[in-house]
Amino acid sequence: MSAEGGPGRLRAAWRAVERVHDEVFVEPLRRAGAREVRRQDDVLRALVLLESLGVDNPVAYETLDLVPYLVADLHAWHQRMGRAEFGDAGVCC
């Protein structure tokens, strides 16, 4: 029996199996989860925007509790939308 590349070959084969596992199982779930989080964030932003424009919201009282979180989240959102700054000076960012 030859010991040429035994542990190294086994390690490389295991890494290949892990890579295939991640591509087949892990990445699709990670992408789907991230897509769902973005969708929920966008729906919430749309609801808050509609409320600020005067459209009645049946859960208006509960959404007041979310305003501080939305203000903190606004920076990441407007950067994702491609704007370096958002709002007037002193209002945001």
Side-chain angles (χ1 to χ4, degrees):
M1 264 192 166
S2 173
E4 291 179 26
R9 227 163 112 193
L10 184 59
R11 193 173 299 125
W14 182 254
R15 285 187 186 133
V17 169
E18 284 180 328
R19 207 169 28 253
V20 168
H21 174 271
D22 288 349
E23 289 174 7
V24 172
F25 297 107
V26 176
E27 283 304 315
L29 291 173
R30 186 176 292 140
R31 282 192 304 268
R35 190 171 41 249
E36 179 63 19
V37 166
R38 281 192 307 271
R39 187 192 68 76
Q40 289 178 3
D41 285 348
D42 290 343
V43 167
L44 181 62
R45 281 188 198 94
L47 287 173
V48 171
L49 176 64
L50 288 172
E51 183 179 345
S52 70
L53 293 174
V55 177
D56 288 336
N57 184 352
V59 291
Y61 182 75
E62 287 80 7
T63 57
L64 287 176
D65 295 337
L66 299 175
V67 169
Y69 299 105
L70 290 170
V71 169
D73 185 53
L74 184 62
H75 184 66
W77 174 74
H78 77 75
Q79 284 185 332
R80 192 174 84 224
M81 295 298 143
R83 294 190 61 178
E85 294 183 4
F86 187 81
D88 294 332
V91 175
C92 183
C93 303

